Amino acid sequence: MNLAYRDVRHNLFRFVLTCLGLGLLMSVVLAMIGIYNGLVADALNLVKAPQADLWVVESGTKGPFAEASRIPEDTREAVERLHGVSEAGNITYQTVEAPFAGKTLRLYVIGYERDRPGGPGDVVEGRKIVQSHFELVADRDTGLIPGDTIRLGRNRFKVVGLVEDTMNSGGDPVVFVTLADAQTLQSQLAPPAARVQAARGASAEIAKTVAAVVARLDANADIDAVARTVRQWKHLSAMTQADQEQLLIKSVVDRARRQIGLFLGILLTVSAVVIALIIYTMTMEKLKQIATLKLIGAPDRTIVGLIVQQAIALGMVGWAFGLVLITLTKDGFPRRVLLEPYNAAVLAGIILVVCIAASGLGVRAALKVDPATAIGG
Amino acid sequence: MSGQTRDAIVEIRGLSKHYGEGHTRVDALRDLDLTVRAGEVVALLGPSGSGKTTLLNIIGCIVEPTVGNIRLDGEEVYDNRWLRGDLRRLRLDKIGFIFQFHNLLPFLNARDNVAVVLRLAGKSGPEAQRRATELLDYLEVGSRKDSMPALLSGGEAQRVAIARALANSPRIILADEPTAALDSKRAGIVMDLLRKLAAEHDACIIAVTHDEKIYDRFDRLFHLRDGRLDGAEGDQK
């Protein structure tokens, strides 16, 4: 005869309501974990997208994500000629705001060379860019669909394909355009002073620079050796893919990551306090029954079992509610909420520990109950 | 009843209980002797604060006396042999409790309220259910065995509580105001039932009561005043 189960069944409505409340709290915890993961994943996806082994950037910078980087466009040809490099591609990054369907879309524009590293990965709908100009591949989160046209700078671009889960660390969805278009977009978006410079003949410098060169190496190439060779050019620096990923996590998203991590810690602490209070209150309401159980000869383990089992049931059902809720709603969040089964399992483990620890207050109160209180007087 | 010839189930000698020390000391019970035999139904009477409940708690192995000897069904209870766990076991095996407001567990139906005691005593689930059903039938509340306590009348709930008290066939039944929540007719029925049970189960029943209407249902009445029993063994009815 499981007393915890019977008590829960007897007060099922109240138990479910309590679990729902706890489930909402759990969903916020899971959302924070998902946002945290999404932030890191988005940042890394952007770096991983070109499937590069080496990033060649401006010397003295940690570009192109942590710092601005600008190198001559023809650097790519020099890099491509290095021993061990199988292919290389120029790449540019910039953020633009573009009007579309009565709204303003904030987009992260990546310019790349067709048939070279740096372009979109898997196009899930439509096709890749095949024209030299005015075509783009957009992330699905932009709300664009193949066939749409959107004005970027002075030109209209036709959406020809869609990719998924491609955003920058700020959550802005990515659009891919050709390198030439991206360079034009950069010059067109420059402030009037820059255009004046361009009118004086300086436009070539603006148009013919890129943010980085991404290179893929032969299978047997020594990445560090190639990087060292690149660094011998005084105006260039080179980072391996691992360096770039590490830099993003340590530098670009670090503050946001720590902020969310801290908030997550606070949420878990609040959850622990709430669970402890709920269990303590539930126990205090049952003191007379606990005294009666003790009086009729129930051992301490029966009393402890009653409280701990209910605490665990509360936590686990709350966790399940939270998981269902966040699974159903995560796609509605403005930023990507990325929940791995591993995260949910770890949270379940944490909640289990929190419930057992939180039930300590209730257990302590229950064990202190004098069985004589059942008799009264 | 030929009480003097039957086994002494509760034997108390020189029992005292005080709380606190020095000027805060309160003597709840003083040098008390009491013997209750099998089949007897006795009442503890007295004004509030006279020590009735303290005495009931001591016999119920809930409160330890300051000095004195107690034997329950032949077992020496307070001689430093018994540990807390043993007292719990002693309560489970030898003592049944009946409360003023039945104290049934609200989340168990009538049958499970009785069966829970049997399960705690180590009986299997089916055996506990069978015995609980038998007891409820015996107490004429078998038809309500699946009802939750909130749906039982006062008399029915008290019968279920009595069935629970009898579940492990205890030799001692302690009752705290067992008829306080009942009207006089039902109070009489419950007391007659308790007398019958004491006789049939060879058990003794010690009840705290203020209900004068049922005094005639007891074999002996013990009057407590300021922690002392009036007369060495209480007043014979």
Side-chain angles (χ1 to χ4, degrees):
Chain A
M1 186 184 300
N2 187 308
L3 297 180
Y5 168 70
R6 295 299 187 87
D7 189 33
V8 166
R9 202 175 64 173
H10 181 63
N11 295 299
L12 191 60
F13 182 68
R14 202 178 70 163
F15 181 80
V16 169
L17 270 187
T18 308
C19 286
L20 269 176
L22 200 57
L24 288 172
L25 196 58
M26 291 297 107
S27 70
V28 175
V29 174
L30 285 164
M32 291 313 296
I33 295 173
I35 291 168
Y36 176 96
N37 286 341
L39 183 78
V40 174
D42 284 343
L44 290 180
N45 273 357
L46 202 61
V47 179
K48 287 176 178 171
Q51 296 176 312
D53 297 312
L54 199 68
W55 291 73
V56 179
V57 298
E58 184 181 349
S59 175
T61 72
K62 292 178 177 176
F65 305 107
E67 289 180 297
S69 161
R70 184 182 290 182
I71 57 176
E73 185 186 46
D74 56 9
T75 303
R76 190 254 296 161
E77 290 159 27
V79 170
E80 207 166 32
R81 283 197 295 270
L82 289 174
H83 178 70
V85 175
S86 60
E87 52 182 337
N90 282 317
I91 198 160
T92 65
Y93 297 98
Q94 63 187 309
T95 303
V96 299
E97 290 200 344
F100 179 76
K103 292 187 296 184
T104 300
L105 299 183
R106 190 174 165 81
L107 305 170
Y108 194 62
V109 180
I110 299 179
Y112 74 104
E113 295 177 285
R114 284 183 296 136
D115 304 324
R116 288 188 179 277
D122 294 331
V123 176
V124 294
E125 194 176 333
R127 58 168 173 80
K128 290 190 173 183
I129 294 171
V130 295
Q131 302 285 339
S132 299
H133 294 288
F134 311 133
E135 285 189 344
L136 67 78
V137 170
D139 183 87
R140 196 185 288 281
D141 278 4
T142 55
L144 300 169
I145 55 171
D148 282 345
T149 59
I150 182 169
R151 178 176 289 279
L152 298 179
R154 291 178 187 168
N155 301 309
R156 293 197 72 81
F157 287 74
K158 183 180 180 186
V159 180
V160 294
L162 295 179
V163 291
E164 286 180 337
D165 300 333
T166 312
M167 296 179 195
N168 70 0
S169 58
D172 301 326
V174 163
V175 295
F176 292 90
V177 298
T178 61
L179 182 69
D181 284 344
Q183 287 171 326
T184 305
L185 188 60
Q186 276 183 335
S187 69
Q188 283 175 335
L189 290 178
R195 287 203 289 274
V196 169
Q197 287 292 86
R200 291 167 58 196
S203 62
E205 194 221 339
I206 296 170
K208 298 299 180 185
T209 61
V210 294
V213 172
V214 288
R216 290 178 191 157
L217 305 188
D218 295 331
N220 56 354
D222 181 348
I223 297 176
D224 293 328
V226 178
R228 276 197 302 276
T229 305
V230 171
R231 287 187 198 114
Q232 284 173 358
W233 289 324
K234 299 296 182 192
H235 65 298
L236 296 178
S237 181
M239 279 184 281
T240 64
Q241 177 70 15
D243 290 339
Q244 192 67 268
E245 289 179 16
Q246 195 67 15
L247 185 67
L248 260 173
I249 292 171
K250 291 281 182 194
S251 173
V252 180
V253 296
D254 180 60
R255 192 165 299 212
R257 203 168 60 100
R258 280 189 292 140
Q259 177 98 340
I260 293 173
L262 184 66
F263 191 48
L264 190 60
I266 293 170
L267 268 177
L268 280 173
T269 307
V270 170
S271 303
V273 171
V274 168
I275 291 171
L277 278 174
I278 290 171
I279 293 163
Y280 184 70
T281 309
M282 281 165 61
T283 306
M284 294 309 281
E285 287 172 356
K286 280 200 285 282
L287 285 188
K288 186 88 174 176
Q289 296 158 32
I290 288 168
T292 304
L293 275 169
K294 282 181 156 184
L295 192 65
I296 63 178
D300 285 350
R301 68 170 181 279
T302 302
I303 311 295
V304 172
L306 171 68
I307 296 164
V308 173
Q309 285 169 28
Q310 284 191 350
I312 291 172
L314 191 72
M316 289 299 103
V317 176
W319 169 83
F321 272 142
L323 189 60
V324 169
L325 197 61
I326 198 64
T327 305
L328 293 175
T329 59
K330 70 184 173 68
D331 292 336
F333 279 67
R335 285 216 57 166
R336 190 146 71 104
V337 177
L338 181 63
L339 268 179
E340 303 286 355
Y342 164 78
N343 301 130
V346 167
L347 182 65
I350 291 171
I351 294 301
L352 189 66
V353 173
V354 164
C355 284
I356 291 170
S359 62
L361 268 180
V363 166
R364 188 166 171 270
L367 293 182
K368 280 173 69 179
V369 171
D370 186 352
T373 55
I375 291 180
Chain B
M1 177 179 292
S2 57
Q4 300 299 321
T5 61
R6 306 188 74 165
D7 294 342
I9 298 181
V10 177
E11 292 177 271
I12 295 174
R13 294 289 173 264
L15 179 80
S16 293
K17 175 68 184 176
H18 67 251
Y19 297 102
E21 290 295 339
H23 67 280
T24 61
R25 174 172 164 146
V26 175
D27 289 304
L29 296 172
R30 304 175 203 216
D31 195 24
L32 196 141
D33 294 334
L34 177 68
T35 302
V36 184
R37 297 180 183 280
E40 275 192 303
V41 179
V42 303
L44 296 177
L45 311 176
S48 181
S50 59
K52 304 184 298 295
T53 303
T54 301
L55 181 56
L56 207 65
N57 285 343
I58 289 174
I59 298 170
C61 303
I62 303 164
V63 173
E64 199 167 342
T66 308
V67 291
N69 296 98
I70 301 177
R71 288 175 71 84
L72 298 179
D73 196 22
E75 300 268 14
E76 192 78 33
V77 179
Y78 294 113
D79 65 348
N80 297 323
R81 264 198 313 125
W82 287 99
L83 300 173
R84 184 165 171 264
D86 297 319
L87 292 179
R88 180 192 68 76
R89 192 74 213 176
L90 190 74
R91 281 203 299 273
L92 189 59
D93 292 341
K94 294 188 186 296
I95 304 171
F97 292 91
I98 300 170
F99 307 95
Q100 183 175 352
F101 297 107
H102 62 72
N103 284 24
L104 295 176
L105 297 173
F107 50 85
L108 297 180
N109 64 26
R111 184 173 50 191
D112 288 340
N113 258 289
V114 180
V116 71
V117 184
L118 293 154
R119 296 286 286 139
L120 289 171
K123 299 283 192 298
S124 68
E127 191 183 351
Q129 294 288 324
R130 183 187 53 75
R131 167 88 173 133
T133 305
E134 279 175 10
L135 279 167
L136 292 173
D137 287 339
Y138 175 70
L139 291 164
E140 297 174 5
V141 278
S143 61
R144 306 303 308 274
K145 64 179 184 290
D146 294 323
S147 300
M148 301 305 279
L151 300 176
L152 299 174
S153 69
E156 287 171 338
Q158 198 60 303
R159 280 163 183 262
V160 174
I162 292 169
R164 179 175 66 182
L166 293 173
N168 282 330
S169 304
R171 299 296 309 278
I172 304 159
I173 295 172
L174 303 178
D176 178 41
E177 303 274 9
T179 59
L182 305 176
D183 58 44
S184 57
K185 184 185 169 193
R186 290 191 185 282
I189 293 170
V190 165
M191 282 313 301
D192 289 341
L193 183 60
L194 289 177
R195 288 191 62 82
K196 183 181 162 198
L197 293 173
E200 289 181 0
H201 289 80
D202 209 21
C204 70
I205 295 176
I206 302 172
V208 167
T209 186
H210 289 102
D211 190 352
E212 293 181 8
K213 296 188 295 293
I214 59 167
Y215 283 179
D216 61 343
R217 255 71 172 203
F218 291 98
D219 296 319
R220 285 190 289 163
L221 305 175
F222 292 95
H223 293 270
L224 271 159
R225 283 192 187 86
D226 297 329
R228 293 181 192 280
L229 275 179
D230 277 358
E233 285 275 314
D235 297 339
Q236 198 77 29
K237 191 181 75 181

